[in-house]
Structure formats: C-alpha cells, structure tokens
C-alpha cells in the first residue's frame, strides 16, 4: 500500500520541478546563512578556548594591582610569606607594521604550558638554560617567525604550533627587556598547590586585588555581543528562508489536494498518508539542509578571515582564519533545518490532516480578508509584546526582543494593510477593466503575501542596517577628523631617541604632542590611561559628547579626567561624578568623549598627573602639528636624520585610511548577510509568481474572452507585481527607520558601548526602491511572457475543462 | 447479501434532510440503476455507501460489515479492498501516467495482477496511451482509464456516479458497454447513478430517489 502511495505523492514533483527547486533552495538558503554564522561563532569560540588552554589562563585566581603594575618587592614579600605565585608581564610589542602581544612568564613557576611540553618533546629540545638566561628565546606560532627573523634586535626564535596567533611567549626576564619595563609585573597567578597556614593576602600585599577566573575579563566575554549580533542576523536570514519554505509547501499541498482526496477515496488511511507526507518533508529538508550546510561552510570560510581580522582589531581576540568541520555543527545545523521545515509546514500539515475527503474541488487560497485581519491583529499583538519586552527586559535581550516583535509583527500586518490600500484604490476605479485589475490584485494577495512579507523584512533590514552602517561611517569619518588632528605621527626606537627627536623637532613645527599611555587594571576591565599636554589641538578638536564647565582647564590644570563613552556608559559615570583610577587617585570627571573602534575603557589626564599615577612611563610616540604642505618633506627628513624605518613616520591620511579600512571590515559580514537576505526575498517573489501562474489561467481566461488582448493581460501582470512591490517598499521604509533607530540607540550601545547619531540617506532608499521594482519586474516578466505567448487554445481549454 | 442500506437518514449542517429513511439492498453480482431529480440525494447516497461520509441514523452494511462503528482506518480498508469508485470528484491523478493510474488502486489493495491489467488495457483500447498523462486524453479516454482503475482491483461492488455525464452519445455508449461487460465478466455488483432511463433499462434493477426516499 505504501509503495504506490509514495509514487503518487512524489510524482507531483516531477510535474512541478520548479516548485521542488524552490523548496530545496528555501531550505538550503535558510540553513546556509544560519549555519555560516554558527560556524564563524563556533570557530571564534574554539579559538578563544584554545588560546586560553594554551596560555593556561582563566583557570586560576590572579593578583592584580588595580593602580597599575605589581612591584618586585611586593612579589618578593609574597614569596617570602610562602605564597606560591607565578609572575607574568605582558604588553604590546610592535614589530614592523604588526602589533603582537608579548607574554613573559616565570618559566619555572608557571603552570605547564602546551607549547613548552611540545618543544621539550621535540627532536632537538633546546637546553633549558638557553631559554632562561640572556638573551633567552622567543616562542611563537610559525606565521610570526619571518617578522622576527628580519629584525635583529630580538633573541633567537623557536617555532611552536601550540600558541595562539599574534602572541609571543618568553621568559619574564626577556619580556622586561623587550618591553622596557624592568621590575614590573602585570599579574601574579596563584598556583593551585599552596602550603597550609598562609598569612592573609590583605596583610602582606594590601594594594593587590585577588580576582577569581570568572571575574577575569576574557575574550569570550568581550566578544559576546559581537557574536550575538551575528547570531541575530543569521536568525533573520533563517526566518526569511523559512518564509519561502512555508509558501512553497502550502502551495504544493494545495495543488495536491485533489490527488490526496483520490488516494484516500481509493483506501489510503489518513494516518498513513500524514506519516508519508511527513517523511517526504523530512527527506526534502535533509537534502536541502545538507546542501545548505555545504554552502554555509563555503560562505563561512569566505567570511572568516574578515571576521577574524575584525575581532583581532577590535578586541585583540586571538582568532585565526582557519575553518574546521565540526560534527556537532553539522548535527546542530541539520536539527535546525528539520525543526524549521516542520515549523514552516506545520500549518499546511495540520490542515491536511483535518481535510475531509469530500469537498468542493479547486484550490483555496491561503487566506481571505478575514484571516488577513486575524493575522493583522496577531501582528499588532507581537509589536506590542516587543515594546513591552523592551521596557521590562535589560540589555541586548531587550533590543533584540523589540526588533523581533517589530519585524514579525509588521510582517504579519502587511497583508491586511495591503488589502486595505487596494480596497481604497478599487473604490476610486471607474472603468470595468480597472475595477477588474484592482479586484484581481486583491484576489492574488493571499498567494503573494508570504513573498511580500519576506520582501518587507528584507527591505526593512536593509534600510535599518544600511542606515546604521552609513550613520556610523559618517560619524566615524567626522570623528577621525577630530581625533587625528596631527599631520604626522612618529614612533621612536627608544626613550633616548624620543628625546632627541623632540629636541630636533620643537623649533621647526607648530607643536609636538607626546602620546603616552599605560594600561591599568580597573574594576570595569582593562583601562588605558593617556596623558596629554596643553595644546589648542585638543581644546578645539577633541570629540566631546558631554562636558562640565571649563572642561579643558579642569583637566589640564586642576587634575580632572576625561573618559571615553564606552567607559561612561558601562560604569554610568558622567561629568560631575568622580572616578577612582587607582586606590590613591580619585579624580573628578570633566567630560566624556566618543571613541569608536575599541571596546576597552579609556581615560585622559594631564601629563603630570599620568606621571604621578604611573611614574616612568615611556613616551615613544608623538603627533606633530605642522602646515600640511610641509608634512611630506618633514617626514622624509625625520627618516633620514634618525634612520627611522618608513613605518615609523605615518601621515595623517594614511592613518585615516587604515582606520577606515578596519571600519569597513567590521561591517563586511553584516553587509554580506544583508545583500543575501535581499536576494532571498527577491527569489521568494519570483517563485510565488511562478507558482501562482499555475492557477492564473482560469482567472484571466474569462477576461480574455471578454475582449482584453493577451498583450494587455501580460502588461497587467507586470504592473501588478511592480505595484505590490512598490507598496511593500513604502511600508518597509518606516519600519526600516525604526529598526535603524533601535539598532543605533539600543543594540549598538549594548554591543559596543557607543551611541551614534542617526543620519538619513534618501539616496540609498531610492536606489533600494529601484532595485526592488526591478526585481519585481523581472520576477513578473517570465509569467507575463508566457501569457503573451500562450496559444488561444490553452485559454479555450479553461472553459472546456469546466464541467 | 453484499450491500444493505437500512433506514438511513442524512442531512447536511443547516439544511433540510437529504435522505429520509432510505432502505435498499443489493446482492452479489447484481446491477442497480439509481435515478432521481437533480439534488435528490443520489450522490449523497453513493458517498455514504462508499464510507466517505457519515450518516445520522440507520445502518449501512457492506460485505457483512456495518459501517457506522468503523474509524478512518477501517473505512479506508473497506474502500481499498471491496469497493471501486467511478466518481467525478476522484478523477485521475494528473502527475501519474495512464499505466500508473490504471494500476494504482490494485497496487494499494496489494492485488496487482499483470495479466489481468494487460487484458484490461487492451480491452479498453488504452494500450497506445499507456505512457501519456491524463491531461492529454479526451474525456472519453479519461473515463475509460477511470473504469480500468476501478476494475483492475476486481471490486465486489462498483459505485459509479454518472460515468458518462459529460460525454457525447457515441462516446458514452462505448464507455457504458465496456463498463457493463467488465462488470458481468468480473461478477461485481454495480450501483450506478444515471439520469438516462435508457441506461437504467439495461440494468437488473431500478430504484428512483425522490423526496429523500426510494419510491
Ligand atoms: N457538502 C454539502 N453540504 C451541504 N449540502 C450539500 C452538500 N452536498 C450536497 N448537498 C445538498 O444535498 C442535496 C443532495 O445533493 P446530491 O449531490 O446528493 O444530489 P444529486 O442527486 O447527486 O444531484 P445531481 O443529479 O445534480 O448530481 C442537494 O440539495 C445539495 O445541495
Ligand atoms: Mg450527483
């Protein structure tokens, strides 16, 4: 009994191959985008976990000095008292153009590191004394080696595959020398084995803070919001793909109703039939899902290098651009596909199981005006739920909850809105032909509404995300202009050279602005403290977003501090509040400035104050103010005079270009997903029109018989599609702007810590509208062309078939 | 007795009763013509007999089994194994070829007999059309396929609802002759709804439905 039933059910796809292709494509697209995002996230998280294991971080308690570094004396006292601790000194190291992280550990005390084990078990392990005594050795992953071989100021290099990218591991003595931070310790790792009866920490090292692993700001936490953002995008694309699945499955079921009734009349029990159809759906989902996974893997591999670059640039996250195929990724992707397909076809399946054998023949459309009103009400409910959630929940969840409610709610109200608008037009129509056109358009709406919903979502997302990215770009460019005011930026080799350069430059240029900074461990996470000197450049250009009275004099003369927006929002600190930078330094906050492109907190004080907080910080970088025309000449003479490598003297323009490039990379993934989502929606329209086409003849045949030519009918076909798309686009615009507003004022603040002003880009909307109309036109032109070429006999048969 | 319809009543929701105390019996191999005005409930009675719809009162017994206690699975089994239908509503499956359509009921009933199928196909003049799809056949050809599908499973009872309703005179004569001769050959019983008294006259018995009752 099962065999012939399967044969009959499957025969539908042979006569409707396009429908099958659409269904598979819908499933594959949904799976592809979703699983690509998942693959990227999984890869990044695996990288973080690997780095954490490779460096033995995040497992043990640590001691830090909230005010800066730990001194050798403090360390010695702890050891004397019996505390088993391992010292770590880390800091950024610039090699050529590349910034790497140098981590110096007390090799004898530090927990066993995979890299060391690997080298000890290698074919020719180095003598341990070579590693520990000067000049020491540098351990790094193979792709960094070439950088260090060409620069001869470094100790010999040992390759290791068991180290994160962009990290150099060495003995703490070597690190002291290379970082020029002798006698300083960044943190002390508290080893697991400790003697009994230890004196309490508070009595030996009162200034130090003990931090449990869970409280250590690790990369995974820092990048969480970034990954959540990606996930939300993947989910959106998944939803758009499922719209296609829902539409196609609904249509395929509607078209098979006659066959299904016949099979049941011939004795196929309903339960068996439902199982068979379920099996069919799951098989199709499996094939589509596997296809989608393959595509997703390719997409992820293509996007990963850019994402990795972004994460490295933005968060210093240790991630490499390598993809690996994970079984649990495949399983999760397929599960999501099967679940999604079932969810998208549940309605059709349910209706099938309730369908009586005896019923009027013919196709019923998906919904009537009544059901449009009902979904409209549900849509309004979802919008309201999203708004309520945004007030009751906190953080990113609130933002995404609001977005989800708005988007799905708006999509559900779309059919009702469109049919209301068409009603209005129909009432204006005078001639019988135009009345028929409007009536016909409304009759077609139920069949097209799913595709139009997908289009609405895609357009709104496009406008929303486009507005966010463009607003950000505009703000960012303006901010760069304010922030990078110096014409040249110079990096000296060492302190002595820095002093020489300053002395040499001072008489020739308008101003030499030293750039001096230090990294502190603050209760809000890592904090970069900068020192500045009094100069008009700052007073005139610095991008302040909030300020108290007389802000600059306050900072430069009366020991106040400026903090960046991220820190201000995270800790809720604003002008008038005070901030404890180190235990001994609680400073009033004079202003808050915008600071894009890094997730960490930043604060600015006057140079003498920086000297007081962390004495002896080196100044090796300078900004040089000079008339722009002379910048190139001066750059050249600086290089000649001090034998500086080309990269040590950088033009403002080059800095800006670099920053913008990093910026663009940040949004490469977002834009790619954006475009793909729009493509999916266009495809949904095409397939809906093509599938509607199968029911089209009985509707146009009577009008044709009444005297409209096929050319006229074909034209109406085009007009209908373009007009519906245009109406949808008009409704998508306000939705997109609301989306942009939520992204800019809620999601961005939560995810990155900065709030951006919203700019409007009507030119972009126009382009998008034209693209939409073009897509709708193209989608309708195939059915229209078919109509034009249709032999009159086919139209006549419609009447013959009516029994 | 193959079929017995006992005091059956049927009304559709919100309507007057369509069948009002209908009783009828049919023996193995017997043929019966059911006539009646349009809307008198002929199709309804056939649907009830085919266990496609439920009734309000009375009982229908088919091949010794009363219908009212059966669930969907039981009714399906009855239709699959005992009955064949030639109804307009359950016409051919458009995505299957003529050959596939011909064999589907027999295969669902697990009763395919290639020799009998070949014989049927030849007798119905469908040999050259086997690989065609229904939409490319004429009305008479389609109806012959429907008869073939029904007879291929050697039903005990054949239910036919105006099988020649939209065929011209010549075509309907051909189709009817084929059907009647096959019914005689297989020993099936036949319950045939028709408007034509000529056709009715060719069957063993004749019943007329009027006012919801057999008269
Ligand atoms: N599904 C239904 N719902 C409601 N009323 C129905 C339904 N099917 C049939 N009827 C009504 O039941 C009555 C009998 O219909 P039926 O189709 O059995 O008549 P018929 O004798 O076959 O007519 P015809 O010769 O025109 O085919 C009619 O009044 C019809 O309107
Ligand atoms: Mg009838």
């Amino acid at each position: 009994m099962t065999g012939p039933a399967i044969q009959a059910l499957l025969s539908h796809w042979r006569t409707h191959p396009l429908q099958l292709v659409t269904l598979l494509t819908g499933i594959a697209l949904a799976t592809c985008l979703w699983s690509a995002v998942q693959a990227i996230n999984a890869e990044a998280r695996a990288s973080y976990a690997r780095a954490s294991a490779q460096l033995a971080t995040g497992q043990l308690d640590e001691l830090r000095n909230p005010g800066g570094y730990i001194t050798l004396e403090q360390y010695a006292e702890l050891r004397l008292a019996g505390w088993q601790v391992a010292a770590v000194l880390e800091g950024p190291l610039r090699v050529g153009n590349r910034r790497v992280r140098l981590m110096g550990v007390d090799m004898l005390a530090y927990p066993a590191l995979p890299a060391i084990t690997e080298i000890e078990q290698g074919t020719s392990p180095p003598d341990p004394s070579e590693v520990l005594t000067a000049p020491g050795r540098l351990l790094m992953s193979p792709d960094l080696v070439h950088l260090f071989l060409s620069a001869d100021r470094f100790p010999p290099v040992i390759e290791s595959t068991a180290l994160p990218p962009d990290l150099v591991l060495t003995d703490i003595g070597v690190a002291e020398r290379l970082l020029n931070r002798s006698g300083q310790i960044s943190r002390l790792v508290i080893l697991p084995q400790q003697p009994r009866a230890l004196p309490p920490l508070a009595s030996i090292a009162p200034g130090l803070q003990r931090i449990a692993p869970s409280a250590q700001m690790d990369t995974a936490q820092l990048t969480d919001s970034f990954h959540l953002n990606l996930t939300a995008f993947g989910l959106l694309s998944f939803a758009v793909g499922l719209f296609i699945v829902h539409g196609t499955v609904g249509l395929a079921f509607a078209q098979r109703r006659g066959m299904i009734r016949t099979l049941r009349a011939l004795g196929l029990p309903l339960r068996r039939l439902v199982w068979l159809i379920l099996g069919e759906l799951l098989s199709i989902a499996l094939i589509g899902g596997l296809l989608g996974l393959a595509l997703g893997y390719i997409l992820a591999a293509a996007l990963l290098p850019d994402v990795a670059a972004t994460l490295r640039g933005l968060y210093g996250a240790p991630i490499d651009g390598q993809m690996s195929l994970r079984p649990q990724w495949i399983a999760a992707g397929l599960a999501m596909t099967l679940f999604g397909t079932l969810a998208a076809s549940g309605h059709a399946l349910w209706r099938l199981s309730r369908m009586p054998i005896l019923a009027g023949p013919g196709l019923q459309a998906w919904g009537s005006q009544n059901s449009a009103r009902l979904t409209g009400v549900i849509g309004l409910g979802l919008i309201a739920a999203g708004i309520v959630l945004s007030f009751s929940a906190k953080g990113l969840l609130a933002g995404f909850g609001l977005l989800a409610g708005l988007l799905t709610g708006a999509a559900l109200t779309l059919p009702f809105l469109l049919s209301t608008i068409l009603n209005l037009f129909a009432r204006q129509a005078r001639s019988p032909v135009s009345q028929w056109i409007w009536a016909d358009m409304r009759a077609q709406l139920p069949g097209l509404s799913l595709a139009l919903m997908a289009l609405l979502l895609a357009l709104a997302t496009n406008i929303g995300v486009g507005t966010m990215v463009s607003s950000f770009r505009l703000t960012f460019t303006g901010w760069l202009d304010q922030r990078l005011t110096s014409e040249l930026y110079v990096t000296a080799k060492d302190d002595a050279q820095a002093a020489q350069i300053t002395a040499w430059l001072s008489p020739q240029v308008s101003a030499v602005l030293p750039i001096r900074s230090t990294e502190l461990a603050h209760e809000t996470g890592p904090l970069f403290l900068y020192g500045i000197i009094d100069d008009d450049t700052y007073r005139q250009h610095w991008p302040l977003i909030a300020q108290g009275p007389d802000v600059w004099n306050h900072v430069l003369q009366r020991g106040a501090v400026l903090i960046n927006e991220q820190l201000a929002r995270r800790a809720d600190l604003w002008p008038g509040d005070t901030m404890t930078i180190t235990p001994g330094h609680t400073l009033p906050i004079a202003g808050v400035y915008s600071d894009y492109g890094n997730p960490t907190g930043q604060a600015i004080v006057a140079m003498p104050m920086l000297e007081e907080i962390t004495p002896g910080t080196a100044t090796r970088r300078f900004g040089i103010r000079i008339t722009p025309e002379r910048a190139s000449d001066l750059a050249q003479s600086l290089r000649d005079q001090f034998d500086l490598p080309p990269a040590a003297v950088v033009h403002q323009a080059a800095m800006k270009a670099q920053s913008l490039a990093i910026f663009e990379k940040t949004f490469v993934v977002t834009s790619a997903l954006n475009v793909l989502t729009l493509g999916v929606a266009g495809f949904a329209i095409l397939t809906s029109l093509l599938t509607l086409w199968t029911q089209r003849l009985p509707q146009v045949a009577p009008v044709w018989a009444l005297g409209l030519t096929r050319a006229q009918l074909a034209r109406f076909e085009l007009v209908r599609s373009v007009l519906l798309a245009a109406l949808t686009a008009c409704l998508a615009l306000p939705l997109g702007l609301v989306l942009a507003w939520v992204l800019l004022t809620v999601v961005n603040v939560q995810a990155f810590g900065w709030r951006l002003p919203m700019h409007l880009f009507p030119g972009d909307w126009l382009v998008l509208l034209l693209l939409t109309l073009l897509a709708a036109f193209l989608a309708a032109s195939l059915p229209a062309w078919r109509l034009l070429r249709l032999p009159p006999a086919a139209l006549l048969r419609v009447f013959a078939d009516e029994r | 007795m193959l079929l017995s319809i006992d005091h059956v009543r049927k009304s559709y929701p919100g309507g007057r009763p369509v069948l009002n105390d209908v009783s009828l019996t049919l023996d193995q191999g017997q043929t019966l013509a059911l006539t009646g005005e349009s809307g008198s409930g002929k199709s309804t009675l056939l649907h009830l007999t085919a266990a496609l719809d439920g009734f309000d009162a009375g009982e229908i017994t088919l091949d010794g089994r009363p219908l009212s206690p059966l669930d969907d699975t039981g009714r399906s089994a009855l239709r699959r194994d005992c009955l064949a239908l030639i109804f307009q509503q359950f016409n051919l499956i458009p995505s299957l070829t003529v050959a596939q359509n011909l064999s589907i009921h027999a295969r669902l009933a697990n009763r395919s007999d290639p020799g009998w199928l070949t014989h049927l196909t030849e007798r119905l003049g469908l040999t050259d059309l086997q690989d065609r799809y229904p939409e490319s056949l004429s009305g008479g050809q389609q109806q012959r396929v429907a008869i073939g599908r029904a007879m291929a499973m050697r039903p005990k009872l054949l239910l036919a609802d105006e099988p020649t309703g939209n065929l011209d005179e010549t075509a309907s004569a051909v189709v009817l002759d084929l059907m009647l001769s096959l019914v005689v050959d297989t020993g099936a019983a036949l319950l045939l709804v028709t408007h034509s008294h000529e056709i009715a006259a060719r069957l063993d018995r004749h019943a007329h439905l009027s006012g919801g009752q057999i008269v």
Side-chain angles (χ1 to χ4, degrees):
Chain A
M1 166 165 65
T2 306
I6 292 178
Q7 185 191 36
L9 285 171
L10 291 186
S11 70
H12 172 80
W13 303 115
R14 213 194 37 238
T15 46
H16 297 82
L18 191 74
Q19 220 170 59
L20 183 61
V21 171
T22 311
L23 187 53
L24 284 172
T25 314
I27 296 172
L29 282 177
T31 313
C32 160
L33 297 183
W34 164 255
S35 54
V37 164
Q38 290 309 307
I40 289 174
N41 283 349
E43 207 56 60
R45 296 221 172 88
S47 286
Y48 307 152
R50 203 178 321 126
S52 194
Q54 285 169 344
L55 299 177
T57 52
Q59 292 142 24
L60 301 174
D61 281 12
E62 286 180 2
L63 287 177
R64 281 175 185 269
N65 177 1
Y69 55 86
I70 302 169
T71 59
L72 273 182
E73 291 75 50
Q74 287 172 307
Y75 171 62
E77 259 174 67
L78 279 167
R79 293 298 297 237
L80 264 176
W83 279 90
Q84 298 298 305
V85 289
V88 179
L89 173 65
E90 44 193 358
L93 187 67
R94 197 174 274 274
V95 194
N97 270 335
R98 189 107 165 239
R99 240 172 96 110
V100 299
R101 196 154 72 95
L102 184 70
M103 180 170 162
V105 301
D106 179 348
M107 290 278 185
L108 296 175
Y110 202 78
L113 289 168
I116 304 289
T117 321
E118 183 198 76
I119 289 160
E120 280 169 351
Q121 290 168 353
T123 42
S124 54
D127 185 348
S129 65
E130 273 177 15
V131 178
L132 293 174
T133 55
R137 295 287 183 273
L138 296 182
L139 275 65
M140 61 192 72
S141 61
D143 62 315
L144 283 180
V145 169
H146 68 277
L147 285 172
F148 285 82
L149 290 184
S150 50
D152 51 24
R153 62 188 168 111
F154 296 114
V157 162
I158 302 174
E159 275 185 29
S160 165
T161 50
L163 282 173
D166 285 358
L167 184 119
V168 175
L169 180 71
T170 188
D171 184 68
I172 190 162
V174 182
E176 277 185 317
R177 198 161 39 76
L178 288 178
L179 294 172
N180 201 14
R181 287 171 64 180
S182 124
Q184 301 185 3
I185 293 165
S186 307
R187 53 193 170 92
L188 290 171
V189 176
I190 302 181
L191 299 171
Q193 255 85 46
Q194 298 288 347
R196 280 150 209 252
L198 277 175
L201 274 176
S203 64
I204 331 166
L208 300 189
Q209 203 182 353
R210 183 175 183 153
I211 306 170
S214 60
Q216 294 164 16
M217 259 311 242
D218 63 352
T219 341
Q221 274 170 300
L222 267 180
T223 53
D224 242 8
S225 45
F226 183 88
H227 293 299
L228 190 60
N229 237 346
L230 278 187
T231 304
F233 245 101
L235 211 53
L236 183 76
S237 316
F238 187 72
V240 170
L242 288 192
F243 268 97
I244 300 184
V245 175
H246 183 108
T248 332
V249 168
L251 189 74
F253 279 24
Q255 287 174 341
R256 282 197 291 189
R257 247 175 234 173
M259 168 202 293
I260 285 166
R261 289 208 166 96
T262 303
L263 284 174
R264 287 187 59 194
L266 299 185
L268 185 66
L270 179 63
R271 195 176 313 162
R272 179 79 59 106
L273 184 80
V274 170
W275 280 115
L276 287 179
I277 289 186
L278 199 65
E280 178 196 40
L281 270 176
L282 289 180
S283 316
I284 293 177
L286 200 65
I287 297 171
L290 286 174
L291 248 145
L293 280 177
L295 288 174
Y297 186 78
I298 296 172
L299 184 68
L303 290 178
L304 189 61
D306 279 329
V307 177
T310 303
L311 285 166
R312 275 199 300 253
L314 210 52
Y315 304 97
I319 169 174
D320 47 27
Q322 293 285 313
M323 277 284 289
S324 50
L325 199 58
R326 291 161 209 281
Q328 63 271 42
W329 173 74
I330 297 178
L334 280 184
M336 190 78 178
T337 311
L338 295 184
F339 165 77
T341 309
L342 283 186
S345 24
H347 181 59
L349 213 67
W350 183 78
R351 281 178 61 162
L352 179 86
S353 68
R354 305 279 311 249
M355 183 180 79
I357 307 184
L358 292 166
L363 286 166
Q364 279 169 14
W366 280 274
S368 56
Q369 176 75 13
N370 262 346
S371 76
R373 194 167 295 150
L374 181 69
T375 47
V377 170
I378 296 176
L380 286 179
L382 282 174
I383 295 178
I387 294 174
V388 169
L389 184 68
S390 77
F391 280 112
S392 54
K394 274 223 148 58
L396 266 187
L397 189 68
F400 283 129
L402 179 59
L403 284 187
L406 278 180
L407 286 176
T408 48
L412 289 181
T413 44
L414 180 74
F416 179 69
L417 284 179
L418 283 179
S419 100
T420 310
I421 294 174
L422 291 179
N423 245 346
L424 285 179
F425 279 119
R427 249 180 250 150
Q428 303 295 316
R430 291 279 167 268
S431 77
V433 173
S434 61
Q435 274 167 358
W436 173 76
I437 294 174
W438 291 115
D440 176 64
M441 217 186 281
R442 233 169 51 111
Q444 297 299 300
L445 206 50
L448 276 172
S449 58
L450 272 164
L452 292 175
M453 284 183 203
L455 180 69
L456 179 84
L457 286 186
L459 282 176
T461 323
N462 223 286
I463 293 172
V465 174
T467 305
M468 175 187 76
V469 174
S470 299
S471 291
F472 196 0
R473 186 180 292 116
L474 205 66
T475 314
F476 187 69
T477 324
W479 173 81
L480 273 182
D481 285 342
Q482 290 177 309
R483 219 20 215 277
L484 297 176
T485 40
S486 297
E487 281 68 27
L488 286 177
Y489 291 86
V490 189
T491 310
K493 268 190 221 134
D494 49 39
D495 292 346
Q497 195 187 42
Q500 285 169 6
I501 292 178
T502 319
W504 184 78
L505 278 173
S506 297
Q508 314 186 39
V509 300
S510 323
V512 178
L513 308 174
I515 300 169
R516 184 191 288 188
S517 73
T518 180
E519 184 183 347
L520 303 177
H522 193 255
E523 57 193 21
T524 57
L527 173 72
F528 288 85
L529 188 65
Y530 281 77
I532 56 166
I533 59 166
D534 192 354
D535 191 272
D536 271 353
T537 309
Y538 298 118
R539 291 175 179 265
Q540 282 164 16
H541 297 288
W542 204 251
L544 292 173
I545 58 167
Q547 49 186 290
D550 195 21
V551 50
W552 287 106
N553 289 334
H554 208 42
V555 172
L556 293 165
Q557 285 147 30
R558 296 195 295 274
V561 62
L562 295 174
I563 59 175
N564 70 353
E565 188 183 355
Q566 288 88 307
L567 180 58
R569 292 196 190 280
R570 202 180 302 146
D572 197 20
L573 291 172
W574 298 97
D577 298 337
T578 58
M579 175 181 169
T580 304
I581 293 187
T582 65
H585 295 92
T586 301
L587 307 182
I589 294 169
V592 176
Y593 58 95
S594 56
D595 180 24
Y596 306 119
N598 73 308
T600 49
Q602 220 182 63
I604 293 178
V605 292
M607 201 61 93
M609 177 60 84
L610 180 70
E611 185 61 36
E612 191 188 315
I613 296 172
T614 55
T617 314
T619 308
R620 300 223 198 108
R621 299 194 67 214
F622 306 95
I624 301 171
R625 297 305 311 267
I626 188 175
T627 43
E629 304 83 64
R630 289 187 47 217
S632 287
D633 290 342
L634 184 71
Q636 198 49 52
S637 35
L638 257 173
R639 288 190 195 109
D640 296 344
Q641 185 78 23
F642 295 96
D643 191 24
L644 293 172
V649 185
V650 185
H651 279 269
Q652 183 197 61
M655 287 281 266
K656 280 186 185 163
Q658 245 175 31
S659 309
L660 274 176
I662 292 177
F663 170 85
E664 297 293 346
K665 276 203 165 160
T666 312
F667 288 102
V668 154
V669 195
T670 319
S671 321
L673 289 179
N674 214 0
V675 169
L676 285 173
T677 315
L678 195 64
V680 171
F683 186 71
I685 299 196
L686 172 70
T687 53
S688 305
L689 284 175
L690 284 179
T691 39
L692 274 184
W693 164 253
T694 51
Q695 317 156 40
R696 195 77 188 118
L697 281 190
Q699 290 150 2
V700 293
V703 199
W704 170 77
L706 292 177
L708 283 185
T709 65
R710 280 173 299 160
Q712 273 172 315
L713 287 172
R715 232 175 0 251
F716 292 148
E717 205 72 12
L718 290 175
V719 169
R720 178 183 62 160
S721 166
V722 169
L723 197 76
L724 284 176
L727 283 177
T728 307
C730 290
L731 294 173
L733 181 61
L735 182 62
L737 292 181
V738 173
L739 180 66
W741 182 82
V742 175
L743 283 174
L744 286 170
T745 58
V746 183
V747 175
N748 257 316
V749 178
Q750 297 294 339
F752 300 106
W754 52 65
R755 181 174 183 151
L756 298 162
M758 182 161 154
H759 299 275
L760 300 182
F761 303 88
D764 290 0
W765 306 340
L766 200 67
V767 172
L768 196 61
L769 177 71
L770 291 178
L771 267 178
T772 310
L773 297 188
L774 183 70
F777 183 85
L778 287 179
S781 52
L782 188 56
W785 184 78
R786 279 194 193 167
L787 193 61
L788 198 62
R789 302 290 308 270
L790 198 67
L795 283 162
L796 279 173
R797 228 197 16 236
V798 170
F799 299 109
D801 282 351
E802 264 169 15
R803 291 171 179 158
Chain B
M1 204 188 307
L2 181 66
L3 167 73
S4 109
I5 299 173
D6 253 341
H7 304 289
V8 163
R9 289 166 195 274
K10 168 78 181 173
S11 53
Y12 290 104
R16 288 186 297 114
V18 176
L19 300 179
N20 204 350
D21 199 13
V22 169
S23 296
L24 193 73
T25 59
L26 197 64
D27 285 332
Q28 214 128 33
Q30 226 176 24
T31 60
L32 181 137
L34 186 62
T35 53
E37 281 175 19
S38 182
S40 58
K42 306 181 294 296
S43 300
T44 302
L45 186 59
L46 242 57
H47 291 156
L48 299 188
T49 311
L52 290 168
D53 204 355
F55 37 88
D56 307 332
E59 184 61 282
I60 299 179
T61 312
L62 187 59
D63 201 19
R65 269 169 289 183
L67 294 190
S68 45
L70 294 180
D71 63 356
D72 177 69
T73 313
R75 288 157 174 259
S76 299
L78 201 64
R79 280 198 299 273
R80 190 170 64 233
D81 301 328
C82 266
L83 285 175
L85 318 173
I86 303 179
F87 288 0
Q88 229 119 72
Q89 248 208 31
F90 307 114
N91 42 23
L92 306 175
I93 293 177
S95 46
L96 291 181
T97 61
V98 166
Q100 288 167 336
N101 265 296
L102 278 172
S103 64
I104 187 149
H105 195 169
R107 284 167 62 215
L108 279 173
N110 216 349
R111 214 184 283 168
S112 30
D113 176 350
W116 170 234
L117 200 63
T118 317
H119 169 78
L120 262 181
T121 314
E122 268 169 29
R123 197 147 150 201
L124 292 165
L126 296 171
T127 313
D128 295 338
L129 304 178
Q130 286 195 71
D131 296 327
R132 302 255 291 261
Y133 285 90
E135 59 170 10
S136 70
L137 301 186
S138 75
Q141 288 168 335
Q142 289 187 15
Q143 209 58 352
R144 277 187 271 154
V145 180
I147 292 169
R149 179 178 80 187
M151 299 318 293
M153 53 84 63
R154 296 178 185 273
K156 287 190 175 149
L157 173 62
L158 175 63
L159 301 173
D161 194 348
E162 296 182 54
T164 58
N166 43 24
L167 299 180
D168 62 37
E169 250 173 74
T170 345
S172 73
V174 172
V175 165
L176 200 74
D177 286 343
L178 278 169
M179 188 173 79
L180 288 181
S181 67
L182 280 169
V183 163
V184 170
D185 285 4
T186 55
L190 169 68
L191 181 52
L192 171 79
V193 169
T194 179
H195 279 294
S196 148
H197 286 275
E198 258 171 70
I199 295 174
R202 293 177 61 182
L203 303 197
D204 302 343
R205 287 170 54 200
H206 180 189
H208 188 77
L209 198 57
S210 175
Q213 287 181 320
I214 302 280
V215 292

